[in-house]
Amino acid sequence: MPKKNYLLTPGPSPVPPEVLSRMAEPIIHHRTPQYQEIFKEVCEGLKFVFKTSKPVYTFTSSGTGAMESAIVNFLSPGDKVITVDAGKFGERWGKMAAAFGLDAKVIKVEYGKPIEPRQIEEALKAEPKTKAVYTTLCETSTGTAMDIKAIAAVVAKTNAILVVDAISGLGADPLDTDLWGVDIVVSGSQKGLMIPPGLGFMSVSDKAWKLVESAKLPKFYFDLKQYKKSIDKNDVPWTPAISLVIGLREALRMIKAEGSMEAVWKRYANLGEATRQAFKGIGLEIFSSRPSNAVTAVKSPASVDSEKIVKIMRDEYGVSIAEGQAEMKGKIFRIATMGYISEFDIAVGLSLIERVLDRLGYKFEFGGTIKAFQESFVKGELVNK
Ligand SMILES: *Cc1c(COP(=O)(O)O)cnc(C)c1O
């Protein structure tokens, strides 16, 4: 029998067949009423997912392009910023700030822990000229969700803007952009939004827009003023990734069909919780002290190199999960519960993880993950009820 592939990685994540077939349709031209109609629906759908009444800009880039856009459009060389480094992706904010000549205060947080909002409060007090705070909703490398609501409450009291990388967290971890007062949210297409890689997104508050006029960092492709001019006409300045946008319309329709983002968040909260319970069911520990519902990072048993688990699962069985990055290499593995990954996909992943752990000499009772997983759903609110 041919190998059946399962993608349980925190980006790219699987794409629903309905979306794939729409993307296979013949290409259409983008400077047409037909395309503008599609893009208009996409922009509305993005506002629904981002929980904002402000426009959400779409870039042809991976998520990192949207991150870069969230720097170059709002700041000038030498501007003071705070970046939170609680993992590989928070570290990226710091690297970008350095690349663009910003004066960055990097707050280092132990991997697996969230930043305490108090730490940001203190850093802002120490440097009142800070223009922006850069952090992450779900730190994908550690499976940690930051307390964005509390951080936003702290930043809102100052002149600084809050920028949140929600590339992996969007859709799975709660993020109430307007209500919480998050100024800029950036995301990408290949995680919770259920389409292939290639699109980046950014929402911008009125407070953040005020910085656009004075920002002197060089930019051209990501120049937000160009995007603002065209978005009112349901257009973009450069040729868009037409097929991805058409796929996105389909994916957004699926999300909207659930009624509210609160309902979507709840579904992933149940799935995330059941997944965490599953690993505890065979005596394993969750790496994060404030786990995200988009991805679960699990500590590998002391005797087992997590790289081996990932490699055997992928190369011998076609089931992809993710390794630990940087100093977490070999010590943790990560399984995604975002986008088009259902409870049944996770059940497949869990049963294979058990087989592989057994092969690698870890002692536990077979079926322990699945038992705890099932019990969590039956005790909690069942996803498909
Ligand atoms: C995946 C990811 C990124 C990087 O996005 P690319 O699409 O690879 O550029 C950035 N931040 C977080 C939190 C991510 O999970």
Side-chain angles (χ1 to χ4, degrees), residues 289-347:
S289 62
R290 196 174 191 280
S292 159
N293 295 324
V295 55
T296 299
V298 184
K299 285 191 198 169
S300 202
S303 58
V304 178
D305 178 351
S306 66
E307 242 176 312
K308 279 204 186 125
I309 306 175
V310 174
K311 194 174 168 2
I312 295 171
M313 285 179 67
R314 183 194 56 223
D315 299 345
E316 293 186 30
Y317 299 92
V319 179
S320 292
I321 61 169
E323 236 286 79
Q325 295 166 278
E327 62 235 54
M328 295 163 283
K329 216 175 183 55
K331 301 197 180 88
I332 64 168
F333 59 86
R334 296 171 296 142
I335 185 164
T337 48
M338 60 177 67
Y340 195 54
I341 295 172
S342 80
E343 59 196 279
F344 305 109
D345 298 319
I346 295 297

CSV table of all heavy atoms in Angstrom, one decimal, residues 289-347:
chain,number,residue,atom,x,y,z
A,289,SER,N,5.0,26.1,30.3
A,289,SER,CA,4.2,26.3,31.5
A,289,SER,C,2.9,27.1,31.2
A,289,SER,O,2.0,27.2,32.0
A,289,SER,CB,5.0,27.1,32.5
A,289,SER,OG,5.3,28.4,32.0
A,290,ARG,N,2.8,27.6,29.9
A,290,ARG,CA,1.5,28.3,29.5
A,290,ARG,C,1.3,27.9,28.1
A,290,ARG,O,1.5,28.6,27.1
A,290,ARG,CB,1.7,29.8,29.6
A,290,ARG,CG,0.4,30.6,29.6
A,290,ARG,CD,0.6,32.1,29.8
A,290,ARG,NE,-0.7,32.8,30.0
A,290,ARG,CZ,-1.5,33.1,29.1
A,290,ARG,NH1,-1.2,32.9,27.8
A,290,ARG,NH2,-2.6,33.8,29.3
A,291,PRO,N,0.8,26.6,27.9
A,291,PRO,CA,0.8,26.0,26.6
A,291,PRO,C,-0.2,26.7,25.6
A,291,PRO,O,-1.3,27.1,26.0
A,291,PRO,CB,0.4,24.5,26.8
A,291,PRO,CG,0.0,24.4,28.3
A,291,PRO,CD,0.4,25.7,29.0
A,292,SER,N,0.2,26.7,24.4
A,292,SER,CA,-0.6,27.2,23.3
A,292,SER,C,-1.6,26.1,22.9
A,292,SER,O,-1.3,24.9,23.0
A,292,SER,CB,0.3,27.6,22.1
A,292,SER,OG,-0.5,27.6,20.9
A,293,ASN,N,-2.7,26.5,22.2
A,293,ASN,CA,-3.6,25.5,21.7
A,293,ASN,C,-3.3,25.2,20.2
A,293,ASN,O,-4.0,24.4,19.6
A,293,ASN,CB,-5.1,25.9,21.8
A,293,ASN,CG,-5.5,26.0,23.3
A,293,ASN,OD1,-5.1,25.2,24.1
A,293,ASN,ND2,-6.3,27.0,23.7
A,294,ALA,N,-2.3,25.9,19.7
A,294,ALA,CA,-2.0,25.7,18.3
A,294,ALA,C,-0.9,24.6,18.1
A,294,ALA,O,-0.9,24.0,17.0
A,294,ALA,CB,-1.5,27.0,17.7
A,295,VAL,N,-0.1,24.5,19.1
A,295,VAL,CA,1.0,23.5,19.0
A,295,VAL,C,1.4,23.0,20.4
A,295,VAL,O,1.4,23.8,21.3
A,295,VAL,CB,2.2,24.0,18.2
A,295,VAL,CG1,2.8,25.3,18.8
A,295,VAL,CG2,3.4,23.0,18.1
A,296,THR,N,1.6,21.7,20.5
A,296,THR,CA,2.0,21.1,21.8
A,296,THR,C,3.4,20.7,21.7
A,296,THR,O,3.8,19.9,20.8
A,296,THR,CB,1.1,20.0,22.1
A,296,THR,OG1,-0.3,20.5,22.2
A,296,THR,CG2,1.5,19.3,23.5
A,297,ALA,N,4.3,21.2,22.6
A,297,ALA,CA,5.7,20.8,22.7
A,297,ALA,C,5.8,19.8,23.9
A,297,ALA,O,5.3,20.1,25.0
A,297,ALA,CB,6.6,22.0,22.9
A,298,VAL,N,6.3,18.6,23.6
A,298,VAL,CA,6.4,17.6,24.6
A,298,VAL,C,7.9,17.2,24.9
A,298,VAL,O,8.7,17.1,23.9
A,298,VAL,CB,5.7,16.3,24.1
A,298,VAL,CG1,5.7,15.2,25.1
A,298,VAL,CG2,4.3,16.6,23.6
A,299,LYS,N,8.2,17.1,26.2
A,299,LYS,CA,9.6,16.7,26.5
A,299,LYS,C,9.8,15.2,26.2
A,299,LYS,O,8.9,14.4,26.6
A,299,LYS,CB,9.8,16.9,28.0
A,299,LYS,CG,10.0,18.3,28.4
A,299,LYS,CD,10.5,18.3,29.9
A,299,LYS,CE,10.2,19.7,30.5
A,299,LYS,NZ,10.4,19.7,31.9
A,300,SER,N,10.8,14.9,25.5
A,300,SER,CA,11.1,13.5,25.1
A,300,SER,C,11.6,12.8,26.4
A,300,SER,O,12.2,13.4,27.2
A,300,SER,CB,12.2,13.6,24.1
A,300,SER,OG,12.2,12.4,23.3
A,301,PRO,N,11.3,11.5,26.5
A,301,PRO,CA,11.8,10.8,27.7
A,301,PRO,C,13.3,10.9,27.7
A,301,PRO,O,14.0,11.0,26.6
A,301,PRO,CB,11.4,9.3,27.4
A,301,PRO,CG,10.3,9.4,26.4
A,301,PRO,CD,10.5,10.6,25.6
A,302,ALA,N,13.9,11.0,28.9
A,302,ALA,CA,15.4,11.2,29.0
A,302,ALA,C,16.2,10.3,28.1
A,302,ALA,O,17.2,10.7,27.6
A,302,ALA,CB,15.8,11.1,30.5
A,303,SER,N,15.7,9.1,28.0
A,303,SER,CA,16.5,8.1,27.3
A,303,SER,C,16.3,8.1,25.7
A,303,SER,O,17.0,7.4,25.0
A,303,SER,CB,16.2,6.7,27.8
A,303,SER,OG,14.7,6.5,27.6
A,304,VAL,N,15.4,9.0,25.3
A,304,VAL,CA,15.0,9.0,23.9
A,304,VAL,C,15.4,10.4,23.2
A,304,VAL,O,14.9,11.4,23.7
A,304,VAL,CB,13.5,8.7,23.7
A,304,VAL,CG1,13.1,8.7,22.2
A,304,VAL,CG2,13.2,7.3,24.3
A,305,ASP,N,16.1,10.3,22.1
A,305,ASP,CA,16.4,11.5,21.3
A,305,ASP,C,15.2,11.8,20.4
A,305,ASP,O,14.8,11.0,19.6
A,305,ASP,CB,17.7,11.2,20.4
A,305,ASP,CG,18.1,12.3,19.5
A,305,ASP,OD1,17.3,13.3,19.5
A,305,ASP,OD2,19.1,12.2,18.9
A,306,SER,N,14.6,13.0,20.7
A,306,SER,CA,13.4,13.3,20.0
A,306,SER,C,13.6,13.4,18.4
A,306,SER,O,12.7,13.2,17.7
A,306,SER,CB,12.8,14.7,20.5
A,306,SER,OG,13.7,15.7,20.2
A,307,GLU,N,14.8,13.7,18.0
A,307,GLU,CA,15.1,13.7,16.6
A,307,GLU,C,14.8,12.4,15.9
A,307,GLU,O,14.3,12.3,14.8
A,307,GLU,CB,16.6,14.1,16.4
A,307,GLU,CG,16.8,15.4,15.6
A,307,GLU,CD,18.3,15.7,15.5
A,307,GLU,OE1,19.0,15.7,16.5
A,307,GLU,OE2,18.7,16.0,14.4
A,308,LYS,N,15.1,11.3,16.7
A,308,LYS,CA,14.9,9.9,16.2
A,308,LYS,C,13.4,9.7,16.0
A,308,LYS,O,12.9,9.1,15.0
A,308,LYS,CB,15.4,8.9,17.2
A,308,LYS,CG,16.9,8.7,17.0
A,308,LYS,CD,17.3,7.3,17.5
A,308,LYS,CE,18.9,7.2,17.5
A,308,LYS,NZ,19.4,6.8,18.8
A,309,ILE,N,12.6,10.1,17.0
A,309,ILE,CA,11.1,9.9,16.9
A,309,ILE,C,10.6,10.6,15.7
A,309,ILE,O,9.9,10.0,14.9
A,309,ILE,CB,10.4,10.6,18.1
A,309,ILE,CG1,11.0,10.1,19.5
A,309,ILE,CG2,8.9,10.4,18.1
A,309,ILE,CD1,10.4,10.8,20.7
A,310,VAL,N,11.0,11.8,15.4
A,310,VAL,CA,10.5,12.6,14.3
A,310,VAL,C,10.9,12.0,13.0
A,310,VAL,O,10.1,11.8,12.1
A,310,VAL,CB,11.0,14.1,14.4
A,310,VAL,CG1,10.6,14.9,13.1
A,310,VAL,CG2,10.5,14.8,15.6
A,311,LYS,N,12.2,11.5,12.9
A,311,LYS,CA,12.7,10.9,11.7
A,311,LYS,C,12.0,9.6,11.3
A,311,LYS,O,11.6,9.4,10.2
A,311,LYS,CB,14.2,10.7,11.9
A,311,LYS,CG,15.0,10.4,10.6
A,311,LYS,CD,16.5,10.4,10.9
A,311,LYS,CE,17.3,9.9,9.8
A,311,LYS,NZ,16.7,9.5,8.6
A,312,ILE,N,11.9,8.7,12.3
A,312,ILE,CA,11.2,7.4,12.1
A,312,ILE,C,9.8,7.7,11.6
A,312,ILE,O,9.3,7.1,10.7
A,312,ILE,CB,11.3,6.5,13.3
A,312,ILE,CG1,12.8,6.2,13.6
A,312,ILE,CG2,10.5,5.3,13.1
A,312,ILE,CD1,13.0,5.4,15.0
A,313,MET,N,9.1,8.5,12.3
A,313,MET,CA,7.7,8.8,12.0
A,313,MET,C,7.5,9.3,10.6
A,313,MET,O,6.7,8.8,9.8
A,313,MET,CB,7.1,9.8,13.0
A,313,MET,CG,6.8,9.2,14.3
A,313,MET,SD,6.1,10.4,15.5
A,313,MET,CE,4.5,10.8,14.8
A,314,ARG,N,8.4,10.2,10.2
A,314,ARG,CA,8.3,10.8,8.9
A,314,ARG,C,8.8,9.9,7.8
A,314,ARG,O,8.1,9.6,6.8
A,314,ARG,CB,9.1,12.1,8.8
A,314,ARG,CG,9.0,12.9,7.5
A,314,ARG,CD,10.1,14.0,7.4
A,314,ARG,NE,11.4,13.4,7.6
A,314,ARG,CZ,12.3,13.9,8.4
A,314,ARG,NH1,12.1,15.1,9.0
A,314,ARG,NH2,13.5,13.3,8.5
A,315,ASP,N,10.0,9.3,7.9
A,315,ASP,CA,10.6,8.6,6.9
A,315,ASP,C,10.0,7.2,6.7
A,315,ASP,O,10.0,6.6,5.6
A,315,ASP,CB,12.1,8.5,7.1
A,315,ASP,CG,12.7,9.9,7.0
A,315,ASP,OD1,12.0,10.9,6.6
A,315,ASP,OD2,13.9,10.1,7.5
A,316,GLU,N,9.6,6.6,7.8
A,316,GLU,CA,9.1,5.2,7.7
A,316,GLU,C,7.6,5.1,7.6
A,316,GLU,O,7.1,4.2,7.0
A,316,GLU,CB,9.6,4.3,8.9
A,316,GLU,CG,11.1,4.1,8.8
A,316,GLU,CD,11.6,3.2,9.9
A,316,GLU,OE1,10.8,2.3,10.3
A,316,GLU,OE2,12.7,3.4,10.4
A,317,TYR,N,6.9,6.1,8.2
A,317,TYR,CA,5.4,6.0,8.2
A,317,TYR,C,4.7,7.2,7.5
A,317,TYR,O,3.5,7.2,7.4
A,317,TYR,CB,4.9,5.9,9.6
A,317,TYR,CG,5.5,4.7,10.4
A,317,TYR,CD1,6.6,4.8,11.1
A,317,TYR,CD2,4.8,3.5,10.3
A,317,TYR,CE1,7.1,3.7,11.8
A,317,TYR,CE2,5.2,2.4,11.0
A,317,TYR,CZ,6.4,2.5,11.7
A,317,TYR,OH,6.9,1.4,12.4
A,318,GLY,N,5.4,8.2,7.1
A,318,GLY,CA,4.8,9.3,6.4
A,318,GLY,C,4.0,10.3,7.3
A,318,GLY,O,3.2,11.1,6.8
A,319,VAL,N,4.3,10.2,8.6
A,319,VAL,CA,3.6,11.2,9.5
A,319,VAL,C,4.6,12.2,10.0
A,319,VAL,O,5.6,11.9,10.7
A,319,VAL,CB,3.0,10.4,10.7
A,319,VAL,CG1,2.3,11.4,11.7
A,319,VAL,CG2,2.0,9.4,10.2
A,320,SER,N,4.3,13.5,9.7
A,320,SER,CA,5.3,14.5,10.0
A,320,SER,C,4.9,15.3,11.3
A,320,SER,O,3.8,15.8,11.4
A,320,SER,CB,5.4,15.5,8.9
A,320,SER,OG,6.0,15.0,7.8
A,321,ILE,N,5.8,15.2,12.3
A,321,ILE,CA,5.7,16.1,13.4
A,321,ILE,C,7.0,17.0,13.4
A,321,ILE,O,7.8,16.8,12.6
A,321,ILE,CB,5.4,15.4,14.8
A,321,ILE,CG1,6.6,14.5,15.1
A,321,ILE,CG2,4.1,14.6,14.8
A,321,ILE,CD1,6.6,13.9,16.5
A,322,ALA,N,7.1,17.9,14.4
A,322,ALA,CA,8.3,18.7,14.3
A,322,ALA,C,9.3,18.4,15.5
A,322,ALA,O,8.9,18.1,16.6
A,322,ALA,CB,7.9,20.2,14.4
A,323,GLU,N,10.5,18.7,15.2
A,323,GLU,CA,11.6,18.5,16.1
A,323,GLU,C,11.7,19.8,17.0
A,323,GLU,O,11.1,20.8,16.8
A,323,GLU,CB,12.9,18.5,15.3
A,323,GLU,CG,13.7,17.3,15.5
A,323,GLU,CD,14.5,17.3,16.8
A,323,GLU,OE1,13.9,17.1,17.8
A,323,GLU,OE2,15.7,17.6,16.8
A,324,GLY,N,12.6,19.7,18.1
A,324,GLY,CA,12.9,20.9,18.8
A,324,GLY,C,13.9,21.7,18.0
A,324,GLY,O,14.7,21.2,17.3
A,325,GLN,N,13.9,23.0,18.2
A,325,GLN,CA,14.9,23.9,17.5
A,325,GLN,C,15.9,24.4,18.5
A,325,GLN,O,15.7,24.4,19.7
A,325,GLN,CB,14.1,25.1,16.9
A,325,GLN,CG,13.1,24.8,15.8
A,325,GLN,CD,12.2,26.0,15.5
A,325,GLN,OE1,11.2,26.2,16.2
A,325,GLN,NE2,12.5,26.7,14.5
A,326,ALA,N,17.1,24.8,18.0
A,326,ALA,CA,18.2,25.3,18.8
A,326,ALA,C,18.5,24.4,20.0
A,326,ALA,O,18.7,23.2,19.8
A,326,ALA,CB,17.8,26.8,19.2
A,327,GLU,N,18.6,25.0,21.2
A,327,GLU,CA,19.0,24.2,22.3
A,327,GLU,C,17.9,23.1,22.7
A,327,GLU,O,18.2,22.3,23.6
A,327,GLU,CB,19.4,25.0,23.5
A,327,GLU,CG,18.4,25.9,24.1
A,327,GLU,CD,18.8,27.4,24.1
A,327,GLU,OE1,19.2,27.9,23.0
A,327,GLU,OE2,18.7,28.0,25.2
A,328,MET,N,16.7,23.2,22.1
A,328,MET,CA,15.7,22.2,22.4
A,328,MET,C,15.8,21.0,21.5
A,328,MET,O,15.0,20.1,21.6
A,328,MET,CB,14.3,22.9,22.3
A,328,MET,CG,14.1,24.0,23.3
A,328,MET,SD,12.7,25.1,22.9
A,328,MET,CE,13.5,26.2,21.7
A,329,LYS,N,16.7,21.1,20.6
A,329,LYS,CA,17.0,19.9,19.6
A,329,LYS,C,17.2,18.6,20.4
A,329,LYS,O,18.0,18.6,21.3
A,329,LYS,CB,18.2,20.3,18.8
A,329,LYS,CG,18.1,19.8,17.4
A,329,LYS,CD,19.2,20.3,16.5
A,329,LYS,CE,19.1,19.9,15.1
A,329,LYS,NZ,17.9,20.3,14.4
A,330,GLY,N,16.5,17.6,20.0
A,330,GLY,CA,16.8,16.3,20.6
A,330,GLY,C,16.0,16.1,21.9
A,330,GLY,O,15.8,15.0,22.4
A,331,LYS,N,15.5,17.2,22.5
A,331,LYS,CA,14.9,17.2,23.8
A,331,LYS,C,13.4,17.3,23.8
A,331,LYS,O,12.7,16.8,24.7
A,331,LYS,CB,15.4,18.3,24.7
A,331,LYS,CG,16.9,18.3,24.9
A,331,LYS,CD,17.4,19.1,26.1
A,331,LYS,CE,18.9,19.1,26.3
A,331,LYS,NZ,19.6,20.1,25.5
A,332,ILE,N,12.8,17.9,22.7
A,332,ILE,CA,11.4,18.0,22.6
A,332,ILE,C,10.9,17.6,21.2
A,332,ILE,O,11.7,17.7,20.3
A,332,ILE,CB,10.8,19.4,23.0
A,332,ILE,CG1,11.3,20.5,22.0
A,332,ILE,CG2,11.2,19.9,24.4
A,332,ILE,CD1,10.6,21.8,22.1
A,333,PHE,N,9.6,17.3,21.1
A,333,PHE,CA,9.0,17.2,19.8
A,333,PHE,C,7.7,18.0,19.9
A,333,PHE,O,7.2,18.2,20.9
A,333,PHE,CB,8.8,15.7,19.4
A,333,PHE,CG,8.0,14.9,20.3
A,333,PHE,CD1,6.6,14.9,20.2
A,333,PHE,CD2,8.5,14.1,21.3
A,333,PHE,CE1,5.8,14.1,21.0
A,333,PHE,CE2,7.8,13.4,22.2
A,333,PHE,CZ,6.4,13.4,22.0
A,334,ARG,N,7.3,18.4,18.7
A,334,ARG,CA,6.1,19.3,18.7
A,334,ARG,C,5.0,18.7,17.7
A,334,ARG,O,5.4,18.3,16.6
A,334,ARG,CB,6.5,20.7,18.3
A,334,ARG,CG,7.4,21.3,19.3
A,334,ARG,CD,8.0,22.7,18.8
A,334,ARG,NE,8.9,22.4,17.6
A,334,ARG,CZ,8.9,23.3,16.6
A,334,ARG,NH1,8.2,24.3,16.6
A,334,ARG,NH2,9.7,23.0,15.6
A,335,ILE,N,3.8,18.8,18.1
A,335,ILE,CA,2.7,18.3,17.3
A,335,ILE,C,1.7,19.5,17.2
A,335,ILE,O,1.3,20.1,18.2
A,335,ILE,CB,2.1,17.0,17.8
A,335,ILE,CG1,1.0,16.4,16.9
A,335,ILE,CG2,1.6,17.1,19.2
A,335,ILE,CD1,0.7,15.0,17.1
A,336,ALA,N,1.2,19.8,15.9
A,336,ALA,CA,0.3,20.9,15.7
A,336,ALA,C,-1.1,20.5,15.9
A,336,ALA,O,-1.5,19.4,15.6
A,336,ALA,CB,0.6,21.5,14.4
A,337,THR,N,-1.9,21.5,16.4
A,337,THR,CA,-3.4,21.3,16.5
A,337,THR,C,-4.0,22.6,16.0
A,337,THR,O,-4.8,23.2,16.6
A,337,THR,CB,-3.8,21.1,18.0
A,337,THR,OG1,-3.2,22.0,18.8
A,337,THR,CG2,-3.5,19.7,18.4
A,338,MET,N,-3.6,23.0,14.8
A,338,MET,CA,-4.0,24.2,14.2
A,338,MET,C,-4.7,23.9,12.8
A,338,MET,O,-4.5,22.8,12.2
A,338,MET,CB,-2.9,25.2,13.9
A,338,MET,CG,-1.8,24.6,13.0
A,338,MET,SD,-0.4,25.7,12.7
A,338,MET,CE,0.4,25.9,14.3
A,339,GLY,N,-5.4,24.8,12.3
A,339,GLY,CA,-6.0,24.7,10.9
A,339,GLY,C,-6.8,23.5,10.7
A,339,GLY,O,-7.7,23.2,11.5
A,340,TYR,N,-6.4,22.8,9.6
A,340,TYR,CA,-7.2,21.6,9.2
A,340,TYR,C,-6.8,20.3,9.9
A,340,TYR,O,-7.0,19.2,9.3
A,340,TYR,CB,-7.1,21.5,7.7
A,340,TYR,CG,-8.1,20.6,7.0
A,340,TYR,CD1,-9.5,20.8,7.2
A,340,TYR,CD2,-7.7,19.6,6.2
A,340,TYR,CE1,-10.4,20.0,6.6
A,340,TYR,CE2,-8.6,18.8,5.5
A,340,TYR,CZ,-10.0,19.0,5.8
A,340,TYR,OH,-10.9,18.1,5.2
A,341,ILE,N,-6.2,20.4,11.0
A,341,ILE,CA,-5.9,19.2,11.8
A,341,ILE,C,-7.0,18.9,12.8
A,341,ILE,O,-7.3,19.7,13.6
A,341,ILE,CB,-4.5,19.4,12.5
A,341,ILE,CG1,-3.4,19.6,11.5
A,341,ILE,CG2,-4.2,18.2,13.5
A,341,ILE,CD1,-2.1,20.0,12.2
A,342,SER,N,-7.6,17.7,12.6
A,342,SER,CA,-8.7,17.3,13.4
A,342,SER,C,-8.3,16.4,14.6
A,342,SER,O,-7.2,15.9,14.6
A,342,SER,CB,-9.8,16.6,12.6
A,342,SER,OG,-9.4,15.3,12.4
A,343,GLU,N,-9.3,16.1,15.4
A,343,GLU,CA,-9.0,15.1,16.5
A,343,GLU,C,-8.6,13.8,16.0
A,343,GLU,O,-7.8,13.1,16.6
A,343,GLU,CB,-10.2,15.0,17.4
A,343,GLU,CG,-11.4,14.5,16.7
A,343,GLU,CD,-12.7,14.8,17.4
A,343,GLU,OE1,-13.1,14.0,18.3
A,343,GLU,OE2,-13.4,15.8,17.1
A,344,PHE,N,-9.1,13.4,14.8
A,344,PHE,CA,-8.8,12.1,14.3
A,344,PHE,C,-7.4,12.0,13.7
A,344,PHE,O,-6.7,11.0,13.8
A,344,PHE,CB,-9.9,11.6,13.3
A,344,PHE,CG,-11.2,11.7,13.9
A,344,PHE,CD1,-12.2,12.7,13.6
A,344,PHE,CD2,-11.6,10.8,15.0
A,344,PHE,CE1,-13.4,12.7,14.2
A,344,PHE,CE2,-12.8,10.9,15.6
A,344,PHE,CZ,-13.7,11.8,15.2
A,345,ASP,N,-6.9,13.1,13.2
A,345,ASP,CA,-5.5,13.2,12.7
A,345,ASP,C,-4.6,13.1,13.9
A,345,ASP,O,-3.6,12.4,13.8
A,345,ASP,CB,-5.3,14.6,12.0
A,345,ASP,CG,-6.1,14.8,10.8
A,345,ASP,OD1,-6.3,13.8,10.0
A,345,ASP,OD2,-6.6,15.9,10.6
A,346,ILE,N,-4.9,13.7,15.0
A,346,ILE,CA,-4.1,13.7,16.2
A,346,ILE,C,-4.1,12.2,16.7
A,346,ILE,O,-3.0,11.7,17.2
A,346,ILE,CB,-4.6,14.7,17.3
A,346,ILE,CG1,-4.4,16.1,16.8
A,346,ILE,CG2,-3.8,14.5,18.6
A,346,ILE,CD1,-3.0,16.6,16.5
A,347,ALA,N,-5.2,11.6,16.7
A,347,ALA,CA,-5.3,10.2,17.1
A,347,ALA,C,-4.3,9.3,16.3
A,347,ALA,O,-3.7,8.4,16.9
A,347,ALA,CB,-6.7,9.6,17.1
